[in-house]
Amino acid sequence: MKLLFASDSFKGTITSAESAEMLEKAAKTVFGETAVVCDSIPVADGGEGTTDAVIAARNGSLVSVAVHGPLMENVTAFYGDLGTDSSGARAAVMEMAVASGLPMVPPEKRNPLHTTTYGTGELIRDALDKGFTAISIAIGGSATNDGGIGCMRALGVRFLDKDGSELSGTGADLELISDIDVTGLDARVKNAQFTVMCDVTNPLCGPDGATYTFGRQKGATAEIQARLEKGMQNYRDVIIRTFGINPDDIAGSGAAGGLGAALLVFLKAQLKRGIETVLDLTDFDRRLEGVDLVITGEGRTDWQSCFGKVVQGVGDRCKKAGVPAVALVGSMGEGAAQIFEHGICSMLPTVVDTITLEEALSQAKEAYYDGALRLFRFIKTGMALKK
């Protein structure tokens, strides 16, 4: 029997690789050392840990880069070198959060008027310098609300005020933009394909836009939000006037404080769900060939799991390929059964007693392995049933 393990990390307790190790040990304990062939793919949903997961699955390597952080401080960021893809292009994967992420800004300094995505642009520029032409970018976890102008400035776009002076690329500059000069945009972007990993569909402006949906968590007060929204509307209007494109008509343009809009408008990027991009980058569909059963999982499964999370993405791919999939999860919450509509045949929680969250976290690995043993014993019993 051939098994494929493809679980998300259980945040703060179990990595994707550790879950695969315990699943293999449990499977061989229940079925015997020679009765199963085990394969595993580290996966993530396009959020934190995506680069590491894809590198591990593709046997890639980390590339370290000196960039500027959200407050233009000097930081060291990284992205993944995935080698050559099936089309012959050199492929890279990166997370904007390592260069422009919220955790990089101390709570007392969080103000999206002052933060920038410039460092994310520097990551992209370094990848272009090194010859990468297939670049996937996860854009969750930003500290910014600059419409992506910092990122584009690092790639040669000039955002000018009414006097023709170039703006620095922070959230505060949005209301000052009078003209956009793209003549200096790095020419190499025309020969590169950009994929944006994003699970939100918010427009750039409005009550569901970048500022009013995500600004508060980045440190914006009501007054700051009002100013940022006015600036974002100005930015949108300049884009419409200059390029004939309305970012508000593009789903996901408001992601990452408007970075989605910049990547889609200036780099002609393709927007895809994070888990779908990760599964494509890890060649998941090919790895399913000859597999009898897939085991996936995550820390907690509830109704939200059906909106771009790992278990849903893996289950849908398995359903399409006709391969049964089951999930071993930390816990089950409201609406967890909805996951059965996405190719997951059954689900087992690792927590089996009424305990505190702290106890569950401290016992996570032991509980996971015990759960894996129970899961495979159920499967073995099912295999023994008379038809």
Side-chain angles (χ1 to χ4, degrees), residues 55-90:
I55 286 175
R58 288 276 294 268
N59 294 316
S61 59
L62 276 179
V63 180
S64 295
V65 190
V67 303
H68 292 88
L71 297 174
M72 290 301 288
E73 73 279 23
N74 295 322
V75 299
T76 299
F78 62 88
Y79 60 90
D81 177 350
L82 306 181
T84 304
D85 67 14
S86 58
S87 69
R90 289 196 64 199

Side-chain angles (χ1 to χ4, degrees), residues 278-352:
V278 170
L279 292 177
D280 287 341
L281 288 173
T282 57
D283 207 10
F284 184 80
D285 293 343
R286 184 189 62 80
R287 298 281 287 273
L288 276 177
E289 295 174 5
V291 170
D292 297 296
L293 178 69
V294 171
I295 294 91
T296 185
E298 61 189 349
R300 179 176 175 81
T301 297
D302 56 24
W303 63 272
Q304 299 178 86
S305 298
C306 298
F307 293 89
K309 300 298 184 181
V310 164
V311 174
Q312 175 249 312
V314 169
D316 281 342
R317 294 290 182 102
C318 290
K319 183 178 182 179
K320 183 178 179 180
V323 178
V326 295
L328 182 62
V329 303
S331 63
M332 295 166 56
E334 182 181 354
Q338 295 176 28
I339 202 68
F340 298 139
E341 299 175 11
H342 294 275
I344 301 299
C345 303
S346 187
M347 178 168 42
L348 201 67
T350 63
V351 176
V352 295

Side-chain angles (χ1 to χ4, degrees), residues 9-39:
S9 61
F10 287 42
K11 202 164 188 179
T13 57
I14 302 170
T15 67
S16 183
E18 288 172 335
S19 70
E21 292 173 3
M22 287 187 279
L23 285 169
E24 180 169 359
K25 180 181 177 182
K28 291 183 175 180
T29 297
V30 173
F31 291 104
E33 284 285 335
T34 60
V36 291
V37 175
C38 301
D39 190 13

Side-chain angles (χ1 to χ4, degrees), residues 202-221:
N202 303 73
L204 185 63
C205 303
D208 297 321
T211 301
Y212 284 120
T213 303
F214 308 110
R216 181 77 69 175
Q217 67 196 45
K218 301 171 187 181
T221 62

Side-chain angles (χ1 to χ4, degrees), residues 186-247:
D186 195 316
R188 296 170 297 181
V189 305
K190 295 180 180 179
N191 298 316
Q193 180 178 356
F194 298 91
T195 300
V196 178
M197 290 180 255
C198 174
D199 292 335
V200 305
T201 58
N202 303 73
L204 185 63
C205 303
D208 297 321
T211 301
Y212 284 120
T213 303
F214 308 110
R216 181 77 69 175
Q217 67 196 45
K218 301 171 187 181
T221 62
E223 292 76 15
I224 290 173
Q225 283 182 306
R227 182 178 169 188
L228 285 168
E229 177 65 9
K230 181 180 178 182
M232 201 69 83
Q233 291 173 352
N234 175 62
Y235 174 46
R236 175 201 60 198
D237 293 344
V238 176
I239 289 176
I240 293 172
R241 187 173 70 242
T242 306
F243 307 108
I245 301 171
N246 186 348

Side-chain angles (χ1 to χ4, degrees), residues 3 15 49 53 60 87 102 108 118 130 133 175 198 232 242 259 268 291 296 311 379:
L3 305 174
T15 67
S87 69
L102 186 60
E108 67 275 9
Y118 190 85
K130 292 182 170 60
T133 55
E175 61 189 353
C198 174
M232 201 69 83
T242 306
L259 175 61
K268 312 301 181 187
V291 170
T296 185
V311 174
I379 294 169

